[in-house]
Amino acid sequence: MEKLTHVNERGEAVMVDISQKAVTERFACASGEIHMKKEAFDAICSMTAPKGDVLGTARIAGIMAAKKTPELIPLCHTLLLSSVTIDFEPIAEESVIRCVCKVSLSGKTGAEMEALTGVSVALLTVYDMCKAIDKGMKITNIALKEKSGGKSGHYIAS
């Protein structure tokens, strides 16, 4: 088994020392979905939800969350992000909104946690803004889809 990087020889949680790592171009992409009743889906797509522009607000929330990841996830490094995008794909036949978060930077460590945090908070914001219509919405399939840069190289989920 590979040695865990966030644990010292005594089993204590530690922040990984990245001081000797090279700066490289980094990229991460994560996605997830929120499943809902047709009524909530239609309100989002027609921009008639009681709380306003759901996807616009969720996009801003996801971008802000990606930037705040080190404040939310213990031991994450603070990164100077070059770009964060949040995109939504409404899937009408399933009443699903798919969210994709892409993060890029030049740095010594990757942006996987930032992409995963961005997509998670964007979908949580959709839930918050539409819970009056559908309290039974389900957030699913949050996963890293791709990452590049750094020692471990390029990863694409199968």
Side-chain angles (χ1 to χ4, degrees), residues 54-118:
V54 173
L55 299 183
T57 303
R59 179 175 289 109
I60 293 168
I63 292 168
M64 290 174 62
K67 293 166 60 174
K68 297 280 189 180
T69 299
E71 296 174 32
L72 300 169
I73 309 294
L75 310 177
C76 279
H77 290 87
T78 300
L79 303 176
L80 183 58
L81 304 180
S82 300
S83 174
V84 179
T85 62
I86 301 280
D87 292 306
F88 297 100
E89 177 189 353
I91 305 168
E93 56 275 4
E94 300 174 40
S95 295
V96 169
I97 306 281
R98 179 171 296 126
C99 177
V100 176
C101 178
K102 295 178 181 178
V103 178
S104 63
L105 67 129
S106 296
K108 295 183 175 194
T109 190
E112 297 91 344
M113 294 309 301
E114 287 72 11
L116 289 161
T117 299

Side-chain angles (χ1 to χ4, degrees), residues 20-53:
Q20 300 304 310
K21 292 175 93 176
V23 172
T24 62
E25 295 301 310
R26 311 282 182 141
F27 170 80
C29 175
S31 67
E33 300 171 343
I34 186 164
H35 301 249
M36 63 196 69
K37 293 179 183 174
K38 184 178 182 335
E39 180 184 3
F41 182 87
D42 290 345
I44 291 169
C45 293
S46 65
M47 294 185 64
T48 59
K51 291 188 176 181
D53 179 2

Side-chain angles (χ1 to χ4, degrees), residues 103-157:
V103 178
S104 63
L105 67 129
S106 296
K108 295 183 175 194
T109 190
E112 297 91 344
M113 294 309 301
E114 287 72 11
L116 289 161
T117 299
V119 78
S120 298
V121 170
L123 292 171
L124 286 168
T125 302
V126 171
Y127 183 95
D128 180 55
M129 293 188 73
C130 294
K131 65 184 180 247
I133 302 169
D134 181 4
K135 289 178 180 42
M137 289 177 283
K138 290 182 180 60
I139 296 171
T140 65
N141 301 323
I142 295 172
L144 181 68
K145 296 299 180 186
E146 182 179 4
K147 61 110 12 219
S148 63
K151 185 172 69 172
S152 64
H154 196 191
Y155 165 83
I156 298 177

